[in-house]
Amino acid sequence: MEYEPVIGLEVHVQLKTNTKMFTRAPYHYGAEPNTLTDPVVLGMPGTLPVMNRKAIEMTIQAGLLLGCKIPETCKWDRKNYFYPDMPKNYQISQFDQPICDGGEVEIEMLGPSRNVMGEHRNVKLTRIHLEEDVGKLTHFDSESLVDYNRAGTPLIEIVSEPDLYSPEEAFAYLTALRNCLVAAGISECDMEKGQMRCDANVSIRPKGTTELGTKVEIKNLNTISGVRNGIAYEIQRQTLAMENNQPIVQETRRWNADEGYTTSMRSKEMAHDYRYFPDPDLMPVKVSQDWLEQLAEDLPELPFDMQRRYMRDYDLPYTITSVLCPDAKLAAYFENALAVYEKPKQIANFITNDLLRELSAAGENGSLPLDQCKVRPEHVAELVQLIDKGDISSHIAKEVFPEMFSTGKGPSQIVDEKGLKQSTDTGELEATCQEIINNNPKPVAEYKAGKEPAINALKGQVMKMTRGKANPKIVDEILRKLLA
Ligand code: ADP
Ligand code: MG
């Protein structure tokens, strides 16, 4: 019997707001423990929650971006549990009336090679709801520490339908989802900072059947490749169990990334009963048509739509657009350069080759972030302009770029300071060409005997003598004229 996996993902994403979900306490990553709290966060008696309008707007925008339906009303519920990560002993969440219903995420499965676009498909969403995050516990042998900085920060949960069918699809889904949310400024989605977290639900079923099998939920998936590996392991484990006629137990399992296996955390019988009920301190939220329209005006183009547009309108190859478009900041950089000088191919080449190479060489752990880069988009445009005007060759431009990167100077300034401008003084160039012709009788004779490529040897000599500053086209013309 052959089995096929079915996967549904529950993804938590921290919203990029300045303050918390139900209070003005600030939030930012990396602060000293327990410095970002206030009486509301700490659940002091007598405090009352006040909704963060911005967080609700960002959630609606996430929904609009992913094609969700936004019901006219949503409401808040208390999810009750007793655990020190939440001092109130309940978490404010949304149970049966979330902000967003349905929706979908377009994914791309990698094609046969990096040069070919892969297959695209839309993965169905169940819902997106908004809630407050909880604190962070760190356990030691005989004690635990708690940090309430994260407690009360706005968190959205994006729940997919069981509509993913391989670990690779789950990987593609998370990547695509992250790219969309980052592009909209909703979150940075950095999994290492806990800004994006994912639980994976995995089941298997006999190939060709439609009924869902018993699902196992995997937790502690801390990287996108961890999600892929954890799911792959779980599929293998379940398949083996089925083949040995062992029942699959509905349970929560923990992924151990270092060792590469999952272990049982709790079974269905141990599942919590959260006793959800509507929060009496908070009114339901009414979403007007006007509000929706206003929020819709502020949405970015989806990365895959942008990629199709770049290929169609700018005639850029798939490989280049698949580097530019998933990265909203890089794409914006490209468009800013393009606004100065409309040569998409040349500009995109400098960005995806030279700029990315310099960024990755300059970073200490990974690449230097683009917003710390000294080369401004208009400088890239100017560099391409210098080539087009014949001021420098593309060979020289490749040397100018690292200089732009390390100094932050504009390309014209560097070209002037270093005297790199191509000589267009044809008199001087003619003299040089004549000298090369006099000193290289062999290629000259070959060329004259009809061996066309022999002229390249002469050209090379001229370029060398002028240290690359001569315009190759002009050199070609002069040599042919002198040899005619
Ligand atoms: P629970 O009630 O245990 O939270 P839900 O029905 O809310 O389960 O689903 C939670 C997640 O699990 C969703 O992303 C959903 O797509 C996924 N899921 C549900 N059933 C299955 C299944 N049989 N196999 C794989 N994923 C599933
Ligand atoms: Mg559920």
Side-chain angles (χ1 to χ4, degrees):
M1 175 104 66
E2 274 218 64
Y3 295 95
E4 69 166 2
V6 180
I7 301 146
L9 297 184
E10 295 166 286
V11 180
H12 282 101
V13 172
Q14 240 177 32
L15 299 182
K16 215 165 81 181
T17 53
N18 296 323
T19 58
K20 297 201 177 182
M21 186 58 231
F22 296 108
T23 170
R24 283 199 193 133
Y27 179 72
H28 44 88
Y29 181 79
E32 278 289 296
N34 297 307
T35 53
L36 308 176
T37 66
D38 69 4
V40 178
V41 172
L42 297 176
M44 299 290 188
T47 57
L48 285 171
V50 178
M51 291 173 226
N52 183 333
R53 184 184 180 89
K54 185 77 192 158
I56 295 173
E57 294 188 336
M58 284 171 143
T59 311
I60 293 174
Q61 286 188 315
L64 292 174
L65 203 60
L66 302 176
C68 304
K69 241 188 73 215
I70 315 293
E72 268 176 45
T73 311
C74 67
K75 74 177 205 342
W76 306 100
D77 299 280
R78 289 188 181 181
K79 180 177 175 178
N80 298 280
Y81 69 94
F82 185 76
Y83 199 60
D85 64 4
M86 194 40 138
K88 298 199 296 290
N89 292 335
Y90 64 83
Q91 177 189 18
I92 306 175
S93 182
Q94 299 189 300
F95 184 54
D96 54 351
Q97 286 182 256
I99 297 189
C100 313
D101 269 329
E104 48 194 24
V105 175
E106 181 179 358
I107 64 168
E108 176 181 6
M109 296 302 291
L110 289 187
S113 94
R114 253 169 37 89
N115 304 325
V116 185
M117 189 196 276
E119 235 174 83
H120 283 235
R121 176 172 87 75
N122 289 347
V123 175
K124 290 194 191 68
L125 296 181
T126 310
R127 59 187 274 169
I128 304 176
H129 68 252
L130 179 55
E131 60 192 24
E132 55 176 342
D133 206 348
V134 299
K136 202 173 154 70
L137 291 171
T138 311
H139 302 288
F140 299 95
D141 284 346
S142 59
E143 57 189 6
S144 295
L145 296 177
V146 62
D147 176 8
Y148 288 127
N149 281 352
R150 210 182 61 185
T153 58
L155 195 67
I156 55 174
E157 180 171 345
I158 301 150
V159 184
S160 87
E161 288 286 286
D163 189 27
L164 293 156
Y165 304 98
S166 70
E168 290 71 31
E169 280 200 349
F171 185 91
Y173 170 85
L174 283 174
T175 307
L177 181 62
R178 182 190 60 196
N179 295 344
C180 292
L181 296 174
V182 172
I186 289 169
S187 175
E188 292 298 327
C189 293
D190 185 340
M191 283 187 89
E192 271 175 37
K193 293 183 179 166
Q195 292 164 342
M196 180 161 162
R197 287 165 252 158
C198 173
D199 298 334
N201 298 273
V202 181
S203 65
I204 59 171
R205 65 185 173 196
K207 222 176 179 139
T209 63
T210 52
E211 202 181 320
L212 290 174
T214 303
K215 78 168 159 67
V216 167
E217 183 181 23
I218 317 174
K219 292 206 177 276
N220 201 39
L221 301 163
N222 297 326
T223 58
I224 296 191
S225 20
V227 174
R228 180 179 54 196
N229 299 341
I231 292 171
Y233 173 85
E234 188 55 29
I235 294 168
Q236 214 178 34
R237 189 189 69 82
Q238 291 182 20
T239 307
L240 211 64
M242 288 285 240
E243 284 168 357
N244 290 311
N245 290 317
Q246 286 161 351
I248 309 285
V249 189
Q250 186 174 335
E251 61 182 348
T252 301
R253 296 179 72 87
R254 181 188 171 81
W255 171 243
N256 183 328
D258 294 336
E259 315 286 334
Y261 57 76
T262 60
T263 46
S264 183
M265 280 171 77
R266 58 174 182 258
S267 68
K268 193 186 178 187
E269 291 74 48
M270 295 284 284
H272 300 289
D273 175 4
Y274 293 117
R275 298 180 296 122
Y276 279 100
F277 66 86
D279 192 308
D281 292 338
L282 290 162
M283 296 288 284
V285 179
K286 295 272 182 205
V287 182
S288 71
Q289 207 53 40
D290 277 359
W291 198 16
L292 278 186
E293 278 164 22
Q294 206 182 309
L295 292 170
E297 275 173 20
D298 225 19
L299 292 177
E301 184 178 27
L302 287 172
F304 285 132
D305 290 338
M306 177 189 275
Q307 188 171 8
R308 282 181 282 262
R309 178 169 63 87
Y310 280 14
M311 289 194 285
R312 187 189 61 227
D313 293 356
Y314 300 143
D315 198 26
L316 291 177
Y318 169 77
T319 24
I320 289 210
T321 56
S322 65
V323 174
L324 281 181
C325 300
D327 183 338
K329 285 181 186 149
L330 201 62
Y333 188 99
F334 165 73
E335 297 208 2
N336 287 337
L338 209 56
V340 176
Y341 189 54
E342 209 172 348
K343 279 291 180 79
K345 276 197 180 161
Q346 290 86 331
I347 287 175
N349 271 322
F350 271 108
I351 292 176
T352 56
N353 295 316
D354 304 68
L355 179 66
L356 289 187
R357 184 185 327 110
E358 295 296 335
L359 285 172
S360 97
E364 277 163 27
N365 313 303
S367 280
L368 188 77
L370 188 58
D371 43 26
Q372 287 173 33
C373 172
K374 289 189 203 152
V375 181
R376 294 203 306 272
E378 52 271 32
H379 289 157
V380 178
E382 192 183 325
L383 186 64
V384 175
Q385 242 165 342
L386 289 178
I387 301 171
D388 284 358
K389 277 197 299 190
D391 281 0
I392 55 170
S393 64
S394 41
H395 178 74
I396 291 286
K398 293 267 171 202
E399 284 174 30
V400 170
F401 195 89
E403 191 75 14
M404 290 161 62
F405 189 86
S406 57
T407 63
K409 289 180 187 169
S412 304
Q413 189 186 346
I414 294 170
V415 167
D416 285 348
E417 283 176 4
K418 302 211 150 187
L420 293 171
K421 200 160 170 185
Q422 273 182 154
S423 70
T424 40
D425 178 344
T426 43
E428 191 185 316
L429 256 183
E430 266 193 46
T432 309
C433 288
Q434 192 56 60
E435 193 185 333
I436 296 295
I437 288 172
N438 296 342
N439 294 342
N440 293 275
K442 199 170 155 240
V444 170
E446 284 174 359
Y447 177 77
K448 288 193 166 164
K451 212 174 140 201
E452 171 76 19
I455 199 165
N456 291 330
L458 299 170
K459 251 195 271 180
Q461 291 288 326
V462 177
M463 296 311 284
K464 202 166 147 195
M465 194 141 173
T466 56
R467 290 188 299 127
K469 282 192 284 173
N471 183 326
K473 246 174 72 192
I474 298 178
V475 172
D476 190 74
E477 281 165 20
I478 295 175
L479 283 171
R480 282 175 203 275
K481 193 182 78 188
L482 294 175
L483 291 169

